[in-house]
Amino acid sequence: MTDTLPIIINVTKDLLDKFTNIKSVSNKLEAQFNFQTLTANWYGDEEEILTIQLSLETAASFEQCKEALDRVSNRGVNISHFSDDVICCCNEGEQQLLCTIAITASELELLTLQPTLLAGYIQAKLRKVLNLIAQQQSLASI
């Protein structure tokens, strides 16, 4: 039996096709962030564990997600616009967050020209999102 980790990173197919190593980068970051949040005591109450799904999207797929969220925003879904390229949502009363994070066109161009920046860039972007969640949830920063 395998338990799912509290933090899961998904990558859209377009990004998987564009960057051959993005899956291994996201797997490594998933393990790292789960360990860091564990040591920061994000999961003190085993009955109320916050689960976070981070979805890396292209600018186009991010817009589609944003439009879909706008259609359900008045149906008990809390939506937080952390920035122009990051949206987090959760159903009222649930401990599950879905964060959609865009790799913008300019970021995509930079990462295409400088592929060695990919791992560090995604790590910094996702860490920022997790720390915004920590602030929102009154948890320790990582």
Side-chain angles (χ1 to χ4, degrees):
M1 181 169 95
T2 58
D3 291 326
T4 57
L5 296 170
I7 297 174
I8 297 171
I9 301 172
N10 294 320
V11 181
T12 189
K13 184 179 181 325
D14 289 342
L15 291 173
L16 289 169
D17 292 344
K18 188 155 191 73
F19 302 104
T20 57
N21 67 332
I22 197 168
K23 185 64 178 166
S24 63
V25 167
S26 66
N27 287 341
K28 178 184 169 203
L29 291 173
E30 190 175 280
Q32 179 182 331
F33 290 140
N34 275 290
F35 178 75
Q36 290 173 338
T37 53
L38 177 67
T39 59
N41 200 30
W42 281 29
Y43 315 113
D45 182 359
E46 289 188 22
E47 299 298 318
E48 293 291 323
I49 291 180
L50 178 66
T51 58
I52 302 167
Q53 180 177 328
L54 302 171
S55 293
L56 288 172
E57 303 285 340
T58 62
S61 61
F62 178 79
E63 286 302 317
Q64 292 173 342
C65 292
K66 201 165 136 178
E67 290 170 8
L69 286 174
D70 287 343
R71 290 192 294 271
V72 297
S73 64
N74 60 353
R75 297 185 194 154
V77 176
N78 294 326
I79 299 174
S80 300
H81 294 266
F82 287 149
S83 65
D84 290 344
D85 59 352
V86 179
I87 298 174
C88 283
C89 65
C90 70
N91 289 328
E92 288 180 13
E94 289 189 20
Q95 289 289 100
Q96 297 175 327
L97 288 176
L98 169 59
C99 294
T100 306
I101 302 134
I103 303 296
T104 65
S106 58
E107 292 168 338
L108 201 56
E109 184 179 340
L110 171 69
L111 295 172
T112 302
L113 293 172
Q114 298 287 329
T116 57
L117 298 176
L118 181 71
Y121 194 84
I122 290 176
Q123 178 181 14
K125 191 160 186 151
L126 295 181
R127 181 184 307 281
K128 182 178 178 184
V129 171
L130 288 171
N131 281 326
L132 289 169
I133 292 169
Q135 185 178 21
Q136 183 185 59
Q137 301 286 326
S138 302
L139 299 167
S141 294
I142 59 166

